Short mmCIF file of all heavy atoms in Angstrom, two decimals:
data_model
loop_
_atom_site.label_atom_id
_atom_site.label_comp_id
_atom_site.label_asym_id
_atom_site.label_seq_id
_atom_site.Cartn_x
_atom_site.Cartn_y
_atom_site.Cartn_z
N THR A 1 -11.30 18.34 4.79
CA THR A 1 -12.73 18.05 4.72
C THR A 1 -12.91 16.73 3.99
O THR A 1 -12.27 16.48 2.98
CB THR A 1 -13.46 19.17 3.94
OG1 THR A 1 -13.17 20.42 4.54
CG2 THR A 1 -14.96 18.94 3.92
N VAL A 2 -13.78 15.90 4.53
CA VAL A 2 -14.11 14.63 3.89
C VAL A 2 -15.52 14.76 3.32
O VAL A 2 -16.47 14.98 4.07
CB VAL A 2 -14.03 13.45 4.89
CG1 VAL A 2 -14.48 12.16 4.22
CG2 VAL A 2 -12.61 13.31 5.43
N ASP A 3 -15.63 14.69 2.01
CA ASP A 3 -16.92 14.79 1.31
C ASP A 3 -17.34 13.37 0.95
O ASP A 3 -16.84 12.79 -0.01
CB ASP A 3 -16.76 15.66 0.08
CG ASP A 3 -18.08 15.90 -0.64
OD1 ASP A 3 -19.15 15.59 -0.07
OD2 ASP A 3 -18.04 16.40 -1.79
N LYS A 4 -18.27 12.81 1.74
CA LYS A 4 -18.67 11.41 1.55
C LYS A 4 -19.81 11.29 0.56
O LYS A 4 -20.77 12.05 0.59
CB LYS A 4 -19.09 10.81 2.89
CG LYS A 4 -17.94 10.70 3.86
CD LYS A 4 -18.37 10.08 5.17
CE LYS A 4 -17.18 9.99 6.11
NZ LYS A 4 -17.54 9.42 7.40
N HIS A 5 -19.65 10.32 -0.34
CA HIS A 5 -20.67 9.99 -1.32
C HIS A 5 -21.21 8.60 -0.97
O HIS A 5 -20.87 8.05 0.07
CB HIS A 5 -20.08 10.02 -2.73
CG HIS A 5 -19.40 11.31 -3.05
ND1 HIS A 5 -20.08 12.46 -3.33
CD2 HIS A 5 -18.09 11.63 -3.09
CE1 HIS A 5 -19.24 13.45 -3.55
NE2 HIS A 5 -18.01 12.97 -3.41
N ILE A 6 -22.02 8.01 -1.81
CA ILE A 6 -22.63 6.71 -1.51
C ILE A 6 -21.57 5.65 -1.24
O ILE A 6 -21.63 4.95 -0.24
CB ILE A 6 -23.57 6.27 -2.65
CG1 ILE A 6 -24.76 7.22 -2.73
CG2 ILE A 6 -24.03 4.84 -2.44
CD1 ILE A 6 -25.64 7.01 -3.94
N LEU A 7 -20.59 5.51 -2.13
CA LEU A 7 -19.58 4.47 -1.96
C LEU A 7 -18.20 5.01 -1.61
O LEU A 7 -17.44 4.37 -0.90
CB LEU A 7 -19.45 3.63 -3.24
CG LEU A 7 -20.69 2.84 -3.64
CD1 LEU A 7 -20.45 2.16 -4.98
CD2 LEU A 7 -21.03 1.81 -2.58
N PHE A 8 -17.86 6.16 -2.12
CA PHE A 8 -16.51 6.69 -1.97
C PHE A 8 -16.54 8.06 -1.30
O PHE A 8 -17.60 8.61 -1.02
CB PHE A 8 -15.84 6.79 -3.34
CG PHE A 8 -15.79 5.47 -4.06
CD1 PHE A 8 -16.60 5.22 -5.14
CD2 PHE A 8 -14.94 4.47 -3.63
CE1 PHE A 8 -16.57 4.00 -5.80
CE2 PHE A 8 -14.90 3.24 -4.27
CZ PHE A 8 -15.71 3.01 -5.35
N ALA A 9 -15.34 8.59 -1.07
CA ALA A 9 -15.22 9.90 -0.45
C ALA A 9 -14.12 10.69 -1.13
O ALA A 9 -13.15 10.12 -1.63
CB ALA A 9 -14.93 9.76 1.04
N ASP A 10 -14.28 12.00 -1.14
CA ASP A 10 -13.25 12.91 -1.62
C ASP A 10 -12.63 13.58 -0.41
O ASP A 10 -13.31 13.86 0.58
CB ASP A 10 -13.84 13.97 -2.54
CG ASP A 10 -14.51 13.39 -3.76
OD1 ASP A 10 -14.15 12.26 -4.16
OD2 ASP A 10 -15.39 14.06 -4.32
N ILE A 11 -11.34 13.83 -0.48
CA ILE A 11 -10.63 14.48 0.60
C ILE A 11 -10.17 15.84 0.08
O ILE A 11 -9.46 15.91 -0.93
CB ILE A 11 -9.42 13.64 1.05
CG1 ILE A 11 -9.91 12.26 1.48
CG2 ILE A 11 -8.65 14.34 2.16
CD1 ILE A 11 -8.85 11.22 1.53
N ILE A 12 -10.59 16.90 0.74
CA ILE A 12 -10.21 18.25 0.35
C ILE A 12 -9.27 18.79 1.41
O ILE A 12 -9.64 18.91 2.58
CB ILE A 12 -11.44 19.17 0.19
CG1 ILE A 12 -12.36 18.61 -0.91
CG2 ILE A 12 -11.02 20.58 -0.19
CD1 ILE A 12 -13.63 18.06 -0.40
N ILE A 13 -8.05 19.09 1.00
CA ILE A 13 -7.02 19.60 1.92
C ILE A 13 -6.77 21.05 1.56
O ILE A 13 -6.41 21.36 0.42
CB ILE A 13 -5.71 18.79 1.77
CG1 ILE A 13 -5.99 17.31 2.05
CG2 ILE A 13 -4.63 19.35 2.69
CD1 ILE A 13 -4.95 16.38 1.51
N GLU A 14 -6.98 21.93 2.52
CA GLU A 14 -6.72 23.35 2.31
C GLU A 14 -5.51 23.74 3.14
O GLU A 14 -5.46 23.47 4.34
CB GLU A 14 -7.94 24.18 2.71
CG GLU A 14 -9.12 23.94 1.80
CD GLU A 14 -10.32 24.80 2.16
OE1 GLU A 14 -10.13 25.91 2.70
OE2 GLU A 14 -11.44 24.36 1.92
N THR A 15 -4.54 24.37 2.49
CA THR A 15 -3.34 24.79 3.20
C THR A 15 -3.53 26.20 3.75
O THR A 15 -4.42 26.93 3.31
CB THR A 15 -2.11 24.77 2.28
OG1 THR A 15 -2.27 25.76 1.28
CG2 THR A 15 -1.91 23.41 1.64
N ARG A 16 -2.67 26.56 4.67
CA ARG A 16 -2.73 27.90 5.26
C ARG A 16 -2.40 28.97 4.23
O ARG A 16 -2.76 30.12 4.39
CB ARG A 16 -1.80 27.99 6.45
CG ARG A 16 -2.21 27.07 7.57
CD ARG A 16 -1.45 27.35 8.84
NE ARG A 16 -1.67 26.31 9.83
CZ ARG A 16 -2.74 26.17 10.58
NH1 ARG A 16 -3.73 27.02 10.45
NH2 ARG A 16 -2.85 25.19 11.45
N GLY A 17 -1.75 28.59 3.13
CA GLY A 17 -1.41 29.53 2.07
C GLY A 17 -2.51 29.68 1.03
O GLY A 17 -2.35 30.36 0.03
N GLY A 18 -3.65 29.00 1.23
CA GLY A 18 -4.77 29.13 0.31
C GLY A 18 -4.81 28.10 -0.81
O GLY A 18 -5.68 28.16 -1.68
N ARG A 19 -3.91 27.16 -0.81
CA ARG A 19 -3.89 26.12 -1.84
C ARG A 19 -4.90 25.04 -1.47
O ARG A 19 -5.08 24.72 -0.31
CB ARG A 19 -2.49 25.53 -1.91
CG ARG A 19 -2.27 24.62 -3.05
CD ARG A 19 -0.80 24.26 -3.10
NE ARG A 19 -0.55 23.49 -4.29
CZ ARG A 19 0.61 22.99 -4.57
NH1 ARG A 19 1.62 23.19 -3.77
NH2 ARG A 19 0.77 22.29 -5.66
N GLU A 20 -5.53 24.46 -2.48
CA GLU A 20 -6.51 23.40 -2.26
C GLU A 20 -6.12 22.16 -3.06
O GLU A 20 -5.84 22.25 -4.24
CB GLU A 20 -7.91 23.87 -2.66
CG GLU A 20 -8.99 22.86 -2.35
CD GLU A 20 -10.38 23.37 -2.66
OE1 GLU A 20 -10.81 23.22 -3.82
OE2 GLU A 20 -11.00 23.92 -1.76
N ILE A 21 -6.10 21.02 -2.37
CA ILE A 21 -5.82 19.73 -3.01
C ILE A 21 -7.08 18.89 -2.87
O ILE A 21 -7.59 18.73 -1.76
CB ILE A 21 -4.64 19.03 -2.31
CG1 ILE A 21 -3.38 19.89 -2.41
CG2 ILE A 21 -4.41 17.65 -2.91
CD1 ILE A 21 -2.28 19.45 -1.47
N VAL A 22 -7.57 18.36 -3.98
CA VAL A 22 -8.76 17.51 -3.96
C VAL A 22 -8.35 16.12 -4.41
O VAL A 22 -7.93 15.92 -5.55
CB VAL A 22 -9.87 18.06 -4.87
CG1 VAL A 22 -11.08 17.15 -4.85
CG2 VAL A 22 -10.26 19.48 -4.46
N ALA A 23 -8.44 15.16 -3.50
CA ALA A 23 -8.11 13.76 -3.79
C ALA A 23 -9.43 12.99 -3.84
O ALA A 23 -10.14 12.92 -2.84
CB ALA A 23 -7.19 13.21 -2.71
N GLN A 24 -9.73 12.40 -4.97
CA GLN A 24 -11.02 11.75 -5.19
C GLN A 24 -10.92 10.23 -5.20
O GLN A 24 -9.90 9.67 -5.58
CB GLN A 24 -11.62 12.22 -6.51
CG GLN A 24 -11.86 13.71 -6.57
CD GLN A 24 -12.35 14.14 -7.93
OE1 GLN A 24 -11.79 13.78 -8.95
NE2 GLN A 24 -13.43 14.92 -7.93
N GLY A 25 -12.02 9.58 -4.79
CA GLY A 25 -12.16 8.15 -4.97
C GLY A 25 -11.62 7.26 -3.88
O GLY A 25 -11.37 6.09 -4.12
N PHE A 26 -11.44 7.77 -2.68
CA PHE A 26 -10.98 6.95 -1.57
C PHE A 26 -12.16 6.32 -0.85
O PHE A 26 -13.29 6.83 -0.93
CB PHE A 26 -10.15 7.79 -0.60
CG PHE A 26 -8.82 8.19 -1.17
CD1 PHE A 26 -8.72 9.30 -1.99
CD2 PHE A 26 -7.69 7.46 -0.92
CE1 PHE A 26 -7.50 9.67 -2.55
CE2 PHE A 26 -6.47 7.80 -1.46
CZ PHE A 26 -6.38 8.91 -2.28
N THR A 27 -11.92 5.21 -0.16
CA THR A 27 -13.01 4.63 0.61
C THR A 27 -13.36 5.59 1.74
O THR A 27 -12.52 6.40 2.18
CB THR A 27 -12.64 3.26 1.22
OG1 THR A 27 -11.61 3.44 2.18
CG2 THR A 27 -12.22 2.27 0.14
N ARG A 28 -14.56 5.49 2.22
CA ARG A 28 -15.00 6.37 3.31
C ARG A 28 -14.17 6.14 4.56
O ARG A 28 -13.80 7.09 5.24
CB ARG A 28 -16.49 6.13 3.57
CG ARG A 28 -17.36 6.54 2.39
CD ARG A 28 -18.76 5.97 2.46
NE ARG A 28 -19.46 6.38 3.65
CZ ARG A 28 -20.53 7.14 3.70
NH1 ARG A 28 -21.04 7.59 2.57
NH2 ARG A 28 -21.11 7.44 4.82
N ASP A 29 -13.84 4.87 4.85
CA ASP A 29 -13.02 4.56 6.02
C ASP A 29 -11.60 5.12 5.88
O ASP A 29 -11.05 5.66 6.84
CB ASP A 29 -12.95 3.04 6.24
CG ASP A 29 -14.26 2.46 6.76
OD1 ASP A 29 -15.10 3.23 7.29
OD2 ASP A 29 -14.43 1.24 6.65
N ASP A 30 -11.01 4.98 4.69
CA ASP A 30 -9.68 5.54 4.46
C ASP A 30 -9.68 7.05 4.62
O ASP A 30 -8.76 7.63 5.21
CB ASP A 30 -9.15 5.17 3.08
CG ASP A 30 -8.60 3.75 2.99
OD1 ASP A 30 -8.53 3.07 4.05
OD2 ASP A 30 -8.23 3.33 1.88
N ALA A 31 -10.70 7.71 4.11
CA ALA A 31 -10.79 9.16 4.22
C ALA A 31 -10.85 9.59 5.69
O ALA A 31 -10.16 10.53 6.10
CB ALA A 31 -12.00 9.68 3.46
N ASP A 32 -11.66 8.90 6.48
CA ASP A 32 -11.74 9.21 7.91
C ASP A 32 -10.40 8.97 8.60
O ASP A 32 -9.97 9.75 9.46
CB ASP A 32 -12.83 8.39 8.58
CG ASP A 32 -14.23 8.85 8.21
OD1 ASP A 32 -14.40 10.02 7.79
OD2 ASP A 32 -15.16 8.02 8.33
N ARG A 33 -9.72 7.90 8.24
CA ARG A 33 -8.43 7.56 8.84
C ARG A 33 -7.36 8.59 8.48
O ARG A 33 -6.55 8.98 9.32
CB ARG A 33 -7.99 6.15 8.39
CG ARG A 33 -6.71 5.70 8.98
CD ARG A 33 -6.87 5.31 10.43
NE ARG A 33 -5.62 4.73 10.92
CZ ARG A 33 -5.02 5.10 12.03
NH1 ARG A 33 -5.56 5.97 12.83
NH2 ARG A 33 -3.89 4.55 12.38
N ILE A 34 -7.36 9.06 7.26
CA ILE A 34 -6.41 10.08 6.84
C ILE A 34 -6.62 11.35 7.66
O ILE A 34 -5.66 11.93 8.17
CB ILE A 34 -6.56 10.38 5.33
CG1 ILE A 34 -6.04 9.19 4.51
CG2 ILE A 34 -5.83 11.66 4.94
CD1 ILE A 34 -6.45 9.20 3.06
N LYS A 35 -7.85 11.75 7.80
CA LYS A 35 -8.16 12.94 8.59
C LYS A 35 -7.70 12.76 10.04
O LYS A 35 -7.13 13.66 10.64
CB LYS A 35 -9.66 13.24 8.53
CG LYS A 35 -10.05 14.53 9.18
CD LYS A 35 -11.50 14.87 8.93
CE LYS A 35 -11.85 16.18 9.60
NZ LYS A 35 -13.20 16.59 9.33
N GLN A 36 -7.91 11.59 10.59
CA GLN A 36 -7.51 11.30 11.97
C GLN A 36 -5.98 11.33 12.11
O GLN A 36 -5.46 11.89 13.09
CB GLN A 36 -8.04 9.94 12.38
CG GLN A 36 -7.64 9.51 13.78
CD GLN A 36 -8.05 8.06 14.07
OE1 GLN A 36 -8.11 7.25 13.15
NE2 GLN A 36 -8.29 7.78 15.32
N LEU A 37 -5.25 10.76 11.18
CA LEU A 37 -3.81 10.69 11.26
C LEU A 37 -3.15 12.06 11.18
O LEU A 37 -2.12 12.30 11.81
CB LEU A 37 -3.24 9.78 10.15
CG LEU A 37 -3.45 8.30 10.34
CD1 LEU A 37 -3.11 7.54 9.07
CD2 LEU A 37 -2.62 7.79 11.52
N VAL A 38 -3.73 12.93 10.39
CA VAL A 38 -3.15 14.27 10.24
C VAL A 38 -3.44 15.12 11.48
O VAL A 38 -2.76 16.11 11.73
CB VAL A 38 -3.64 14.92 8.94
CG1 VAL A 38 -3.17 16.34 8.82
CG2 VAL A 38 -3.17 14.11 7.75
N GLY A 39 -4.44 14.73 12.24
CA GLY A 39 -4.71 15.44 13.48
C GLY A 39 -5.78 16.49 13.41
O GLY A 39 -5.87 17.37 14.26
#
């Protein structure tokens, strides 16, 4: 999930095992590209 803010975006990655990784402070374009690359 890409949570977009005014300038930056947070990337929330949820694994099939229920683990959650929250990566904060990426550019909105980078966040969209990461999501696209992972498929």
Side-chain angles (χ1 to χ4, degrees):
T1 305
V2 175
D3 184 13
K4 294 181 180 179
H5 306 285
I6 294 171
L7 297 175
F8 303 107
D10 300 336
I11 302 162
I12 299 110
I13 302 160
E14 294 182 29
T15 66
R16 296 191 191 283
R19 189 172 186 183
E20 184 176 87
I21 299 166
V22 179
Q24 300 176 311
F26 290 83
T27 66
R28 295 164 59 115
D29 288 341
D30 281 355
D32 288 337
R33 182 74 174 130
I34 290 165
K35 187 172 180 177
Q36 178 188 30
L37 287 168
V38 175

